[in-house]
Amino acid sequence: MKFFIDTANLAEIQEAVELGILDGVTTNPSLMAKEGITGQDRVLKHYVDICKLVDGPISAEVIATDFAGMVREGEALADLHPNIIVKIPMIEDGIKAIKYFSQKEIQTNCTLVFSAGQALLAAKAGATYVSPFVGRLDDISTDGLALIEQIRTIYRNYYSFDTQILAASVRHPMHIVKCAEIGADVITGPLSAIKALLQHPLTDSGLAKFLSDYQKATV
Ligand code: E4P
């Protein structure tokens, strides 16, 4: 399973790179705004800066919601760097744009997916990745992980679908572990959720005892 980080913060991305387990980055307009990255030129430059830090897929989201606008923006994003994945919302014109880009062999990430039917359409259109939002479904008392399982079953039924399931809006370590059990291809979330996988109290107490026994034996 690949690990992407869901942020536009360069320091956080660098920290994840140094951890040695990072495969890619996802961003969205809210995450760019959170970093104060505004205006088309600065946004495009920021994507290039992220590409310089990470040698893997970098999802860059279009703002347009009409087919022509998404194609125009998506082509400009794809021209920035070979690792850019054009992120397109799950709307009618978005599906048309995903189909267009798949025919041009430009990689896409279909975002804001909340149902199996939407994921089926994304795969039919030829999306490279489909992003079901696990955490946001949990937020409204709906089982986000059950959706990942349902999409995995559907995609497994049809070998011609090579769309990868990118479990997005992952919020905590158990989301990640469960996604791995289900067989999601990728997870994306904050670095804090990934780093929480490191933690176990028995690791901490075991290490403390090994070190104190070592000290005792060497005095
Ligand atoms: C996916 O690509 C989105 O950027 C993201 O995972 C949304 O996560 P959130 O629900 O924590 O905002």
Side-chain angles (χ1 to χ4, degrees):
M1 186 170 74
K2 284 175 254 176
F3 278 30
F4 291 0
I5 189 174
D6 194 35
T7 184
N9 183 289
L10 297 181
E12 199 178 344
I13 293 169
Q14 181 58 33
E15 190 183 342
V17 168
E18 285 166 16
L19 192 57
I21 47 78
L22 190 68
D23 299 298
V25 179
T26 52
T27 61
N28 63 41
S30 306
L31 292 171
M32 293 297 262
K34 191 173 159 200
E35 298 307 315
I37 313 294
T38 52
Q40 207 197 3
D41 290 351
R42 285 191 69 210
V43 167
L44 296 183
K45 183 189 170 302
H46 202 71
Y47 285 133
V48 173
D49 289 343
I50 295 174
C51 290
K52 285 181 189 157
L53 288 180
V54 181
D55 184 19
I58 312 297
S59 286
E61 189 158 341
V62 298
I63 303 298
T65 53
D66 64 297
F67 174 75
M70 282 189 260
V71 165
R72 196 169 47 247
E73 272 183 45
E75 285 178 337
L77 289 169
D79 277 348
L80 289 176
H81 193 280
N83 285 346
I84 290 284
I85 311 295
V86 182
K87 198 172 180 189
I88 297 184
M90 164 43 74
I91 54 177
E92 192 166 335
D93 275 23
I95 286 297
K96 292 179 192 169
I98 289 168
K99 180 72 185 180
Y100 170 88
F101 286 125
S102 80
Q103 284 166 339
K104 294 194 80 182
E105 297 189 358
I106 290 175
Q107 298 194 85
T108 53
N109 173 359
C110 182
T111 191
L112 290 167
V113 166
F114 294 95
S115 77
Q118 291 178 326
L120 185 55
L121 277 178
K124 289 284 293 174
T128 315
Y129 299 94
V130 65
S131 286
F133 279 32
V134 175
R136 289 193 195 186
L137 280 169
D138 287 358
D139 288 346
I140 57 156
S141 306
T142 304
D143 188 348
L145 290 166
L147 175 62
I148 302 296
E149 216 157 358
Q150 203 182 2
I151 298 170
R152 181 75 287 160
T153 301
I154 291 169
Y155 285 9
R156 199 176 283 131
N157 286 345
Y158 299 97
Y159 294 113
S160 58
F161 288 163
D162 44 19
T163 301
Q164 296 181 52
I165 302 173
L166 196 175
S169 185
V170 152
R171 303 267 174 79
H172 54 71
M174 284 316 291
H175 272 156
I176 301 177
V177 171
K178 288 288 171 195
C179 282
E181 281 181 19
I182 293 164
D185 300 288
V186 192
I187 59 92
T188 193
L191 182 58
S192 58
I194 295 173
K195 283 181 80 176
L197 292 169
L198 284 166
Q199 302 304 325
H200 199 288
L202 291 179
T203 304
D204 297 340
S205 60
L207 182 60
K209 174 131 178 53
F210 285 158
L211 294 179
S212 82
D213 287 347
Y214 174 81
Q215 292 299 339
K216 276 185 230 154
T218 51
V219 284

